Amino acid sequence: MSDQAFYSALQQKLHTLQSEGLFKPERVLASRQGAEVVAQDGRTLINMCANNYLGLSGDLETQKAAEAALQKYGYGLSSVRFICGTQTVHKELEGALSRFLGTEDTILYAAAFDANGGVFEPLFDENDAIISDALNHASIIDGVRLCKAARYRYANNDMADLEKQLQAATDAGKRHKIIVTDGVFSMDGTIAKLDEIVVLAEKYGALTMIDESHASGFMGATGRGTHEHCGVVGKIDIITGTLGKALGGAMGGFTSGRKEVIEMLRQKSRPYLFSNTLAPMIAGASLAVLERISKSTELRDRLHENTAYFRKEIERIGFTIKPGTHPVVPVMLFEAPIAQKFAARMFELGVLLSGFFYPVVPMGQARVRVQLSAAHTREQLDTVLAAFEQAGRELGILKAQ
Ligand SMILES: *Cc1c(COP(=O)(O)O)cnc(C)c1O
């Protein structure tokens, strides 16, 4: 406590964040997660900003599965996986995820952040090349940084630029090349062009990796993810994803692929070797979630119906959205102060939303991001749409019809 200058500098930096409007306050909920949540002040809000795509966070059936696993396997293990932290439920979940994703084997992590942080360094070195989409998630960027491979970046979803980078890595004589992309980009709800990526990978002899955090459980005909949506199941080398969004919403992540890849990660991946095992109740609940969404398309159907309805209605009211089909719907407000005012007004009207502006999205691309859930009722969506219309009219941002 003897370096006062350190603390003064921190105070100054925090103050700057605040004055630049970049400070992120925490929103405290007094209820479980769901389509409706209770704020700390007791107000009920309709939640339009959770990654709760299938509505399973806060869901009672999921909770019951967690409780059953809690009863059987206890609270925790106080161990990493390889010492004494592997239970039958972890092996069952790894098997179920492999079957679900169409891969040979799967390794669990405490978070997808860890899965991405620990996937590159054990598999690639300075002789290799990682070719990464410019909008990939922070955890991929950090994982790549931890690895000695050469880094190539291509413009978001730009196949001409990807080919240019593949050529550059080839010209540099790189031994192994891996193309890495988010399956779905969370700021825009855009879907990676995996059909084209797989063709380019074949042409240049490259591996492929996708992060399925915003896709696993609901993209594609049976919810396997973006690879199913794009018709390339079995053609992606490595799949990472989270158990903390659609697949239950508590926490946890995974990496899935060929058995020799997963075996090497079990030997060398640092977040796996040096961090505690996934809590057994999460493993048990995740198993039940996979079983539930494999048996019935009900939740997925409701999510897609809600998404189609909201996308159609919000445009009819006079808002501009990024076109697409994903439950992430960016409602474009363009200017940062408008996005801030808009989100604040929606909060007053009882709708929880998040606004994004520079530097999270490009300058002039400020927006509020709506995320649909299977848990939203039509009535709730109509309430939200009415609030959008009111706030839009008050702020004079509706397009003339
Ligand atoms: C949310 C997210 C992660 C992190 O997932 P956690 O399991 O919460 O660590 C990783 N990648 C992408 C693309 C994400 O959206």
Side-chain angles (χ1 to χ4, degrees):
M1 303 293 260
S2 58
D3 185 356
Q4 263 318 307
F6 172 75
Y7 295 103
S8 308
L10 280 187
Q11 283 164 11
Q12 189 54 49
K13 282 180 198 159
L14 287 165
H15 186 77
T16 306
L17 284 178
Q18 239 147 4
S19 59
E20 286 175 350
L22 297 176
F23 191 86
K24 293 184 271 301
E26 287 181 348
R27 292 196 186 102
V28 181
L29 305 182
S31 67
R32 64 176 60 214
Q33 185 62 280
E36 282 191 350
V37 291
V38 179
Q40 213 175 8
D41 64 6
R43 283 204 317 141
T44 298
L45 302 163
I46 302 177
N47 190 358
M48 302 304 290
C49 57
N51 303 308
N52 189 15
Y53 296 115
L54 295 177
L56 297 174
S57 313
D59 168 74
L60 278 178
E61 205 176 312
T62 309
Q63 180 179 327
K64 288 216 175 78
E67 282 166 358
L70 181 67
Q71 288 288 333
K72 179 166 180 190
Y73 293 100
Y75 174 64
L77 286 154
S78 301
S79 172
V80 298
R81 283 285 300 274
F82 77 95
I83 297 180
C84 52
T86 297
Q87 294 166 310
T88 47
V89 71
H90 297 100
K91 298 314 291 180
E92 284 167 23
L93 178 56
E94 288 174 342
L97 279 167
S98 305
R99 286 190 295 281
F100 182 69
L101 298 167
T103 53
E104 287 182 2
D105 199 4
T106 299
I107 175 174
L108 299 173
Y109 288 85
F113 207 106
D114 288 338
N116 287 330
V119 69
F120 298 106
E121 188 261 347
L123 302 175
F124 303 100
D125 66 23
E126 57 274 16
N127 299 307
D128 305 317
I130 298 171
I131 301 151
S132 181
D133 189 288
L135 289 193
N136 278 344
H137 190 260
S139 54
I140 293 178
I141 295 169
D142 285 9
V144 171
R145 277 190 192 140
L146 292 169
C147 163
K148 293 201 172 68
R151 298 157 204 179
Y152 296 81
R153 212 167 81 130
Y154 64 97
N156 177 228
N157 234 348
D158 181 336
M159 295 299 109
D161 195 26
L162 170 57
E163 181 154 23
K164 216 188 287 175
Q165 303 307 320
L166 282 162
Q167 189 60 56
T170 304
D171 293 345
K174 291 303 169 188
R175 181 183 53 186
H176 304 303
K177 299 180 278 289
I178 183 164
I179 304 167
V180 182
T181 182
D182 285 9
V184 171
F185 296 91
S186 64
M187 283 298 144
D188 297 314
T190 49
I191 299 164
K193 297 171 187 158
L194 296 187
D195 47 345
E196 296 180 48
I197 287 175
V198 161
V199 172
L200 284 173
E202 181 106 15
K203 181 171 171 190
Y204 288 88
L207 300 155
T208 50
M209 170 179 149
I210 57 177
D211 176 343
E212 288 286 89
S213 294
H214 288 277
S216 293
F218 60 93
M219 293 292 288
T222 65
R224 290 167 152 197
T226 318
H227 58 325
E228 184 178 34
H229 178 87
C230 295
V232 297
V233 171
K235 294 184 181 170
I236 301 294
D237 290 280
I238 299 175
I239 299 174
T240 62
T242 185
L243 303 172
K245 290 180 175 137
L247 295 178
M251 62 187 299
F254 56 83
T255 301
S256 201
R258 287 273 294 265
K259 61 181 184 314
E260 48 273 59
V261 166
I262 304 308
E263 208 164 323
M264 183 55 76
L265 294 177
R266 286 190 207 281
Q267 298 308 309
K268 299 279 187 190
S269 182
R270 294 166 69 84
Y272 179 83
L273 291 175
F274 299 108
S275 188
N276 208 40
T277 192
L278 188 68
M281 64 182 157
I282 296 177
S286 303
L287 261 173
V289 165
L290 287 177
E291 203 171 303
R292 179 167 169 188
I293 64 178
S294 299
K295 268 207 297 248
S296 158
T297 63
E298 186 195 339
L299 295 174
R300 210 162 50 243
D301 292 346
R302 219 182 304 147
L303 172 62
H304 293 314
E305 275 162 31
N306 283 347
T307 300
Y309 179 70
F310 187 88
R311 281 182 172 272
K312 175 169 67 72
E313 291 299 306
I314 195 78
E315 283 200 293
R316 193 184 56 73
I317 291 171
F319 284 93
T320 303
I321 60 173
K322 293 242 175 189
T325 54
H326 194 269
V328 163
V329 185
V331 181
M332 303 307 293
L333 301 169
F334 305 105
E335 302 310 322
I338 305 245
Q340 272 165 308
K341 261 187 232 161
F342 191 87
R345 182 67 182 125
M346 290 295 279
F347 187 78
E348 287 170 5
L349 295 171
V351 180
L352 196 54
L353 270 180
S354 46
F356 293 97
F357 29 89
Y358 183 82
V360 178
V361 294
M363 196 76 88
Q365 294 273 298
R367 66 195 66 178
V368 289
R369 181 179 67 176
V370 168
Q371 291 176 280
L372 280 304
S373 168
H376 290 128
T377 63
R378 181 59 61 91
E379 197 182 7
Q380 287 167 332
L381 294 184
D382 285 336
T383 304
V384 169
L385 286 160
F388 260 98
E389 187 163 14
Q390 183 179 338
R393 189 161 293 141
E394 286 169 6
L395 291 168
I397 49 183
L398 299 184
K399 279 184 293 193
Q401 295 296 297

